[in-house]
Amino acid sequence: MVVLAAAVCTKSGKALVSRQFVDISRVRIEGLLAAFPKLMGSGRQGHASAIQHTFIETETVRYVYQPLEGLYMLLLTNKSSNILEDLDTLHLLAKLVPEYCGRLEEEQVADRAFELIFAFDEVIAVGYKEKVTLQQIKTFLEMDSQEEKIHEMLEKNKEREAKEEAARRRQQIEKMRQENMKSGMGGGMGMGGGMGSGGRWQGGGGSSSFESPQIPADPFVVKETRAPPKPTSSRGGMVLGQKEPTSKFLQAMKKEEGADLIREETSVSANTPGAPPVAREKVNTVQWLTHTVLQRSIEVVEVVSATVENDGGLQSPLDVRGDLTLTIDDPAAARVLIHVAPAAEHKSFTFKAHPNINRDRWTKERVVAPKGDKAFPAGTALNVLKWRWQTSDEGSLPLTVSCWPTPGGDGTTAVTLEYELQRQDFVLSNVRISIPIIGSTPNLGEIAGDYDFDVKNHILHWKLDFIDESNPTGSAEFSMGAVDASSLFPITISYTSNNTFCPIEIEQVVSPDEEPIRYALSKSLQTDQYQLVQ
């Protein structure tokens, strides 16, 4: 058969959407559509009455149509086409119009014109019908990209971590300001550092020490022998002439940030001999703030896909794909080695390292390191490691769902949905179970969690904030008009989790000299094609 055009028009012949599949002029199409209402009124419908047939033939073309409330779904074909195939194509197109427009009104059809044209193109190509179903068309038009999902998730994680880091730094700066003010007040009150705690502290990884001056037993001696405070000069703000307030300030920093920060302060002070105390204080503060910024982040992301049969078993194997992504913001911090803790479960996973990764070190030592003297690229997220795992064991699924439709004697169908958390070691978040609804709006009964009904797409969404060992099972009940049980499938399941199938743990991140390096780590799991079929 050859379909010339597919159109949605009003009863008066006004074209709302028209898609041509052969080389035909707009004037010709508008003329054919304008003639359609007149042919309807003339009774030239096939060879019988207007009630029995849904096609009209003229000398050159055939109109195949289906009423859609106040509109018509119309196909223009040549007279040699197969009428049975034409009707099959027409019925599929007629399902697409309410699917993408919702209400069958002129405004809705005009607003959704491009969606309808894209859908028509999936059904008909160069005038010939493609072998597609309604569900396949919806999948094609969604244009889902797994890489795009992973990228969006990584961007959200970066944004969240940046906000947390900004809030932490604000708190640290505020604490430093308050400590600085307290130290300055102590130095100007005449008590000096008499109440400070002298002593010695050794930093990790190097030898650093802080010693306070010897304090006389009698605090009044300090008051009598100390020189009077100098007036404030334009170069310094507060004059912190005593070492004790500075030592107290640094010890407060040590308690908050640990040995690495104090070691950084020591190196700055040692490299600035003869510098005034105030100048050293400013330099130390800047170095401390710079050091606390995490320049490296590691993200472990897994995506799970499965097609589960409602009667039990897997129609296709459970497929898990994972990525370990390294992001380095500062080129100066790009030379790192990632030590992955070995695990016996790794043998069942197929790992693949990036071409620029030293594969010998990964295979033998489980160390992610660049080849030779190279460094990791900065300013971009690099997938340094991938892995994959497949199994046909249904018991490996974190979550299973079953659907129980029961026809009633009053022309209705009662449906019960159930879920079960099979993996107690998983905590699932943002769980959504979506079931297609054909016909009337469902009447909800008892339901665990929440729900919403997408009127436009005719989908009931069962939503749960989380599923863990505290609520390992749950159900949702609703009723609707009598339907075929097959119309309730496929049921789509989606969720996220901080647990992953692959037990990959980062043992440590070190420099080429095996010095420990601070880093940020995040793990996540999400679903791709996770469906329940009949």
Side-chain angles (χ1 to χ4, degrees), residues 91-110:
H91 293 158
L92 181 55
L93 295 178
K95 292 179 182 178
L96 292 173
V97 177
E99 182 71 32
Y100 287 97
C101 297
R103 301 189 308 274
L104 297 176
E105 300 175 356
E106 293 187 27
E107 295 79 4
Q108 285 293 107
V109 174

Side-chain angles (χ1 to χ4, degrees), residues 325-514:
T325 303
L326 174 65
T327 304
I328 297 178
D329 297 330
D330 186 2
R335 296 180 59 82
V336 297
L337 307 177
I338 304 173
H339 289 256
V340 178
E345 294 85 350
H346 288 178
K347 295 181 180 179
S348 59
F349 289 81
T350 302
F351 287 90
K352 187 175 182 180
H354 191 278
N356 292 334
I357 298 300
N358 189 326
R359 296 187 180 179
D360 288 338
R361 295 203 64 179
W362 165 249
T363 304
K364 299 176 182 179
E365 306 173 32
R366 281 295 187 259
V367 175
V368 178
K371 288 182 178 179
D373 296 332
K374 295 181 179 179
F376 288 108
T380 182
L382 177 64
N383 290 336
V384 296
L385 190 64
K386 294 178 178 289
W387 59 89
R388 187 176 184 182
W389 179 62
Q390 288 186 326
T391 180
S392 297
D393 180 15
E394 186 181 5
S396 299
L397 292 171
L399 182 71
T400 59
V401 177
S402 57
C403 178
W404 302 87
T406 305
D410 55 352
T412 62
T413 299
V415 181
T416 301
L417 288 173
E418 293 182 335
Y419 76 79
E420 180 182 0
L421 181 66
Q422 295 195 134
R423 297 280 299 269
Q424 299 292 328
D425 55 332
F426 274 68
V427 177
L428 308 182
S429 306
N430 303 317
V431 182
R432 175 171 291 198
I433 302 171
S434 303
I435 177 171
I437 302 296
I438 305 299
S440 59
T441 303
N443 297 317
L444 271 296
E446 294 185 3
I447 183 170
D450 199 4
Y451 75 94
D452 64 52
F453 181 61
D454 187 346
V455 179
K456 172 189 168 185
N457 296 312
H458 303 283
I459 297 177
L460 175 65
H461 299 289
W462 180 17
K463 301 185 295 184
L464 298 102
D465 293 334
F466 69 93
I467 297 177
D468 61 8
E469 58 183 5
S470 66
N471 59 339
T473 60
S475 63
E477 299 177 357
F478 63 91
S479 62
M480 54 188 297
V483 295
D484 185 7
S486 61
S487 66
L488 300 174
F489 298 90
I491 297 175
T492 303
I493 305 162
S494 64
Y495 55 80
T496 60
S497 178
N498 291 329
N499 307 104
T500 56
F501 285 87
C502 181
I504 187 166
E505 297 292 341
I506 306 302
E507 196 171 51
Q508 63 176 343
V509 177
V510 299
S511 67
D513 298 330
E514 298 298 324

Side-chain angles (χ1 to χ4, degrees), residues 260-337:
D260 289 340
L261 302 183
I262 303 301
R263 187 165 61 250
E264 178 73 19
E265 194 279 334
T266 305
S267 63
V268 175
S269 298
N271 293 330
T272 54
V278 175
R280 288 204 303 269
E281 191 79 19
K282 292 181 177 180
V283 173
N284 297 339
T285 302
V286 173
Q287 291 291 338
W288 176 71
L289 290 175
T290 304
H291 188 77
T292 57
V293 179
L294 298 179
Q295 303 290 352
R296 311 159 189 86
S297 63
I298 300 174
E299 293 165 317
V300 176
V301 180
E302 279 190 345
V303 179
V304 57
S305 301
T307 302
V308 188
E309 295 182 352
N310 192 41
D311 295 334
L314 293 173
Q315 189 179 88
S316 62
L318 171 66
D319 184 50
V320 178
R321 299 171 184 264
D323 294 285
L324 190 150
T325 303
L326 174 65
T327 304
I328 297 178
D329 297 330
D330 186 2
R335 296 180 59 82
V336 297
L337 307 177

